[in-house]
Amino acid sequence: MLLDNLSLFLRIVEKGGMAAAGRELGLSPATVSERLAALEAHYGARLLNRTTRSLSLTDEGRDLVEGAQRLLNEAEDLETRIRLGVNRVAGIIHVHAPVDLGRNKLSGVFDAFLDEHPEVSIDLTLGDGYVDLAGMGADLAIRYGALGDSSLKLRKLADSARIVVASPAYLARCGTPATPDDLLHHNCLLMRFGTDADRFWPFEKDGRKQVLAVRGNRIANDGGLVRKWCVKGHGIARKSQWDIADDLAAGRLIPLLQDYEVAPIPLQVVYPPGQNQPRRVRLLLEALVQAFAEDEQSD
């Protein structure tokens, strides 16, 4: 029962409320309250600050979030090994990834992995914003750029250049920018991360760095939608090379301002600290590293 209550606690944190967690798990509000109270009684500490309008973690609750998923993973891995044997790979893996990358690259990696390990399930959440791995119970998350949470572990998958691109139709209609300053006269399609739109685009040539504030009439927090707008000819976008590799190969998008590209940023898989990752998670991690290594070798 303790493990079930820990799982419920993590779901409450992930969903941001007791009612939402109860609905997802098919539990009544009274049952959710009773089980949370039982968990707090077990640990002798209040885990959540609750009002009619908000819910927040106490210090003890934050500590429990960090360890609860590890305990649940260890318990599931132990049960799997006892039930199926140490050489069988089974169970669920929770993964978070950027929208475009998940659809265009990772889905193929996961298909091959599930074909090889039919007793594994992958629960994939796609989103372009920051996620709290412990809070949402993720085993692995794929992220671009520097790692903000230094407590997490990481494996680099590849370098990822962000490329300024447009469709042939847009360029035929509006012209091709020759320098970054020319973008001031173009419609730029912007990604929004949280509350901030990615409107400051960096460039570099011959050691001279420049950051340009671009503008456009379309902003979205969905990288896939920004890519779709760009392919349809609505404007110029700045996208990761991994998100648009197929579009570039097929000529649906054309790279621009290549002489002004800045150094690529790392694409990496991050995961919570601890040495007791289930075998299925370790195998998926290695499959991801191998898939990106093969792609880089083929370029």
Side-chain angles (χ1 to χ4, degrees):
M1 190 62 181
L2 174 61
L3 294 179
D4 290 337
N5 288 344
L6 286 173
S7 181
L8 172 61
F9 171 68
L10 288 179
R11 193 63 60 90
I12 291 171
V13 175
E14 176 189 348
K15 296 300 177 182
M18 297 170 62
R23 284 193 299 270
E24 184 163 303
L25 296 174
L27 301 175
S28 68
T31 299
V32 173
S33 295
E34 289 172 3
R35 288 177 54 179
L36 178 59
L39 190 64
E40 290 180 326
H42 174 82
Y43 287 108
R46 190 172 186 84
L47 303 174
L48 295 169
N49 295 313
R50 309 186 281 281
T51 69
T52 56
R53 294 187 176 183
S54 66
L55 178 149
S56 62
L57 288 164
T58 64
D59 289 341
E60 292 79 9
R62 291 190 190 91
D63 289 340
L64 185 59
V65 163
E66 292 179 2
Q69 190 60 52
R70 184 170 64 252
L71 290 173
L72 291 171
N73 284 339
E74 290 173 0
E76 186 177 357
D77 195 39
L78 176 61
E79 182 175 355
T80 298
R81 286 190 285 112
I82 292 174
R83 286 178 178 271
L84 303 177
V86 294
N87 294 322
R88 303 273 293 276
V89 180
I92 190 167
I93 307 173
H94 300 273
V95 182
H96 188 280
V99 175
D100 256 11
L101 187 70
R103 291 173 178 165
N104 299 325
K105 169 64 179 174
L106 299 181
S107 59
V109 180
F110 295 156
D111 287 345
F113 185 83
L114 293 174
D115 286 343
E116 185 177 355
H117 304 288
E119 292 177 291
V120 171
S121 300
I122 293 178
D123 183 344
L124 175 62
T125 299
L126 297 179
D128 290 314
Y130 170 82
V131 295
D132 178 359
L133 264 68
M136 73 174 297
D139 298 297
L140 302 172
I142 317 300
R143 291 183 179 171
Y144 291 107
L147 188 63
D149 186 347
S150 60
S151 69
L152 297 174
K153 292 189 174 182
L154 65 87
R155 286 281 298 277
K156 183 178 176 181
L157 297 176
D159 286 322
S160 176
R162 294 195 69 188
I163 305 169
V164 177
V165 292
S167 71
Y170 177 86
L171 297 176
R173 188 175 72 251
C174 301
T176 301
T179 69
D181 289 331
D182 292 340
L183 294 176
L184 298 176
H185 307 292
H186 285 269
N187 192 50
C188 294
L189 309 170
L190 304 180
M191 268 292 296
R192 185 177 68 251
F193 298 96
T195 59
D196 299 322
D198 180 30
R199 63 176 70 253
F200 298 99
W201 291 5
F203 298 95
E204 183 175 357
K205 185 175 183 181
D206 300 328
R208 179 177 174 270
K209 297 181 179 180
Q210 176 184 10
V211 177
L212 194 72
V214 299
R215 294 181 297 176
N217 64 358
R218 295 172 187 248
I219 303 172
N221 67 341
D222 184 325
L225 182 55
V226 172
R227 172 186 157 273
K228 184 176 180 180
W229 285 339
C230 194
V231 170
K232 285 190 171 183
H234 294 303
I236 296 175
R238 183 169 176 260
K239 295 286 296 177
S240 163
Q241 69 183 81
W242 296 104
D243 294 346
I244 56 173
D246 291 343
D247 297 314
L248 292 172
R252 290 186 293 267
L253 292 176
I254 306 298
L256 308 173
L257 303 174
Q258 292 180 283
D259 290 341
Y260 295 87
E261 287 181 9
V262 297
I265 61 175
L267 173 65
Q268 51 210 9
V269 56
V270 301
Y271 49 96
Q275 299 181 349
N276 296 314
Q277 274 187 326
R279 184 167 178 240
R280 60 184 179 276
V281 177
R282 297 196 301 271
L283 289 174
L284 179 58
L285 176 57
E286 293 305 322
L288 288 166
V289 171
Q290 180 64 28
F292 280 90
E294 290 173 354
D295 274 1
E296 289 198 315
Q297 290 170 6
S298 65
D299 289 344

